[in-house]
Amino acid sequence: TDFCGPPRTFPHAFLRKKGRYFVGQVLHFKCQRGYEQRGPSSGTSTCRKVNGQISWTHLDMRCTN
């Protein structure tokens, strides 16, 4: 089974799950209390394997107060 490394972090955001991240796994980022999510992203990123390279899909998310 293939694994992704840790995902990129965002200021004032957190992940609900910590630990190992498998190919195909979808992570849902949430903004901390008192902050609102700004797009253009939905707040999800997927661990993918493309042409032998394992990486996270692009996520452009901001949490603003």
Side-chain angles (χ1 to χ4, degrees):
T1 303
D2 295 319
F3 298 96
C4 273
R8 179 178 164 208
T9 59
F10 298 91
H12 311 292
F14 66 95
L15 286 170
R16 290 188 179 238
K17 182 182 185 313
K18 305 267 186 202
R20 291 183 142 180
Y21 304 105
F22 298 91
V23 169
Q25 185 169 358
V26 178
L27 295 182
H28 301 274
F29 289 81
K30 297 284 184 185
C31 292
Q32 295 172 344
R33 183 171 291 185
Y35 291 85
E36 290 185 14
Q37 181 177 328
R38 300 283 184 219
S41 177
S42 65
T44 62
S45 186
T46 305
C47 177
R48 294 179 46 189
K49 186 174 186 177
V50 178
N51 297 325
Q53 298 292 321
I54 300 172
S55 63
W56 291 101
T57 57
H58 181 72
L59 178 63
D60 187 16
M61 180 180 143
R62 290 179 294 145
C63 295
T64 59
N65 59 358

